């Protein structure tokens, strides 16, 4: 099981929800998981119904079996100050640079600097050990940028290492890429059983593989239940009105003929969706990746729903 679990996906697929559920699933049986947010949206705080996350690692949940989930919202400016202190011992000089606006300039204008800092902070958490030499966190789960940006986001340190041939910047970038391109990392892509998200997932998998980044699993989110069995789907697709009318009559429903048309229409729409979902599953299966499926929560995603999704992931083998 890779210790850095990166979760990406097309906007609207629920990648932050999946990342949070995965963190809970991995933290079961006494494990410690760090859930990292890099986009500054505070989505993790909202999901766990807690106050805005500061730039520090804070426990936000207890998982089944006594495991713990910590969370960190990485701030690029603060990460740059940490970086300057770590490698250049700037201390108060670094804080002076912040007051002058140099930190904001660097993280906003300089190409790739922000992504280098974000990925570097996450990888530092993966490598960190306590005084006994044990890993501080068993797993780090990153709620990463969307699929369209994930490859460049994770690969930016390769570019930086090429630009800075020597020195601490070069060494830091190489250290980050040693984590990101190793079996310690798995990049999961969240999708829906719809054409556009599935196509973007396929494109993302191809880009990640082309960049030499380790692709993990596809996580199909918000899967709706099939309300009709195979025979009913086939009848609805064929529009078998007489048989359905007769069945309604045998069930004691009065005026069955008046109900047949709207029922057939709804059944046909359901059958069409089932067939479209089958087609998207065929596309996903062609990628030859492991897959998890999470149900659509009719009551919406709240804290109890997160724990339910975590249980679903555990049932399907996530974290085992």
């Amino acid at each position: 099981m890779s210790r850095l679990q990166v979760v990406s996906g097309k906007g609207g697929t629920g990648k932050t929800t999946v990342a949070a559920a995965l963190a809970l699933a991995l933290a079961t049986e006494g494990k410690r998981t760090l859930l990292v947010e890099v986009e500054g949206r505070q989505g993790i705080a909202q999901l766990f119904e807690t106050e805005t996350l500061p730039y520090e690692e804070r426990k936000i949940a207890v998982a089944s079996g006594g495991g713990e989930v910590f969370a960190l919202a990485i701030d690029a400016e603060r990460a740059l100050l940490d970086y300057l202190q770590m490698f250049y011992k700037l201390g108060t000089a670094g804080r002076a640079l912040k007051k002058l606006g140099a930190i904001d300039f660097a993280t906003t204008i300089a190409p790739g600097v922000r992504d280098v800092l974000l990925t570097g902070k996450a990888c530092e958490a993966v490598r960190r050990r306590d005084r006994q030499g044990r890993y501080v966190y068993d797993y780090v789960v990153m709620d990463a940028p969307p699929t369209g940006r994930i490859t460049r986001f994770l690969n930016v340190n390769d570019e930086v290492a090429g630009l800075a041939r020597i020195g601490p910047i070069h060494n830091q970038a190489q250290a980050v890429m040693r984590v990101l391109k190793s079996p310690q990392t798995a990049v999961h892509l969240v999708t829906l059983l719809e054409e556009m998200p599935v196509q973007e997932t396929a494109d993302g998998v191809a880009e990640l593989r082309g960049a030499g980044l380790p692709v993990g699993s596809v996580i199909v989110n918000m899967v709706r239940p099939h309300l009709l069995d195979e025979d009913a789907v086939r009848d609805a697709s064929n529009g078998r009105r007489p048989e359905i009318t007769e069945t309604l009559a045998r069930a004691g429903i009065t005026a069955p003929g008046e109900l047949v048309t709207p029922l057939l229409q709804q059944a046909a729409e359901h059958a069409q969706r089932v067939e479209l979902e089958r087609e998207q599953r065929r596309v996903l299966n062609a990628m030859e990746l492991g897959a998890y499926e999470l149900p659509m929560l009719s009551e919406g995603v709240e804290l109890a729903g997160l724990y339910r999704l975590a249980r679903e992931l555990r049932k399907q083998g996530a974290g085992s």
Side-chain angles (χ1 to χ4, degrees):
M1 177 62 65
S2 301
R3 296 189 56 251
L4 175 58
Q5 306 270 321
V6 180
V7 180
S8 181
K10 178 178 171 57
T13 59
K15 70 177 180 64
T16 299
T17 299
V18 171
L22 180 59
L24 279 169
L26 293 170
T28 53
E29 299 176 3
K31 299 291 195 303
R32 285 166 56 97
T33 300
L34 176 64
L35 178 57
V36 175
E37 181 177 82
V38 299
E39 294 187 284
R41 295 185 293 105
Q42 290 291 332
I44 292 172
Q46 295 175 30
L47 283 170
F48 284 94
E49 300 174 5
T50 187
E51 60 188 21
T52 299
L53 295 174
Y55 181 63
E56 63 183 42
E57 293 158 22
R58 172 180 292 178
K59 187 167 80 170
I60 59 170
V62 176
S64 173
E68 298 174 318
V69 177
F70 292 74
L72 170 66
I74 303 178
D75 176 84
E77 289 189 8
R78 293 285 299 275
L80 181 52
L81 287 174
D82 287 350
Y83 180 90
L84 293 173
Q85 173 61 22
M86 184 184 303
F87 291 106
Y88 296 101
K89 310 301 180 185
L90 288 185
T92 56
R95 291 190 289 274
L97 287 173
K98 179 176 174 61
K99 290 181 180 179
L100 291 172
I103 303 298
D104 182 62
F105 174 83
T107 56
T108 305
I109 305 300
V113 167
R114 184 178 183 278
D115 291 349
V116 167
L117 296 167
L118 297 174
T119 53
K121 186 67 176 177
C123 289
E124 182 275 325
V126 172
R127 298 191 300 263
R128 193 188 312 157
R129 295 177 184 267
D130 61 19
R131 292 181 179 179
Q132 287 72 43
R134 298 171 300 195
Y135 286 117
V136 172
Y137 295 108
D138 297 287
Y139 300 102
V140 176
V141 178
M142 180 194 293
D143 178 20
T147 314
R149 295 198 296 114
I150 187 61
T151 300
R152 180 169 178 78
F153 172 78
L154 295 176
N155 215 35
V156 67
N157 286 277
D158 251 357
E159 300 176 13
V160 170
L163 292 173
R165 298 289 181 178
I166 59 173
I169 296 177
H170 174 83
N171 295 337
Q172 166 71 359
Q174 282 199 321
V176 170
M177 290 314 299
R178 280 196 294 271
V179 173
L180 293 179
K181 289 193 172 183
S182 76
Q184 291 186 76
T185 299
V187 185
H188 307 297
L189 298 179
V190 181
T191 187
L192 307 179
L193 287 176
E194 298 173 5
E195 186 175 359
M196 287 186 63
V198 167
Q199 183 58 55
E200 190 163 315
T201 298
D203 294 341
V205 168
E207 289 180 4
L208 289 165
R209 285 173 170 168
L213 291 161
V215 183
S217 303
V218 172
I219 303 175
V220 184
N221 194 24
M222 293 186 268
V223 176
R224 290 173 288 189
H226 290 178
L227 304 177
L228 302 175
D229 60 26
E230 291 298 316
D231 291 338
V233 168
R234 192 161 43 251
D235 288 348
S237 300
N238 297 331
R240 297 177 64 174
R241 185 186 186 95
E243 290 89 340
I244 295 174
T245 303
E246 182 179 342
T247 300
L248 290 173
R250 285 201 305 270
I253 296 176
T254 59
E258 298 176 6
L259 295 175
V260 170
T261 298
L263 284 174
L264 275 177
Q265 183 177 354
Q266 290 188 27
E269 291 173 356
H270 180 75
Q272 184 180 32
R273 179 171 64 79
V274 168
E275 184 52 42
L276 289 173
E277 289 179 352
R278 285 175 178 162
E279 176 59 32
Q280 299 313 311
R281 278 197 173 90
R282 285 191 284 269
V283 175
L284 293 174
N285 290 337
M287 300 178 199
E288 299 181 341
L289 295 171
Y292 303 106
E293 293 198 1
L294 294 175
M296 176 178 282
L297 301 179
S298 58
E299 66 276 12
V301 180
E302 52 187 17
L303 195 54
L306 276 183
Y307 279 88
R308 177 187 169 190
L309 295 179
R311 289 194 297 271
E312 290 289 338
L313 286 170
R314 289 289 298 178
K315 286 179 185 177
Q316 297 174 52
S320 61

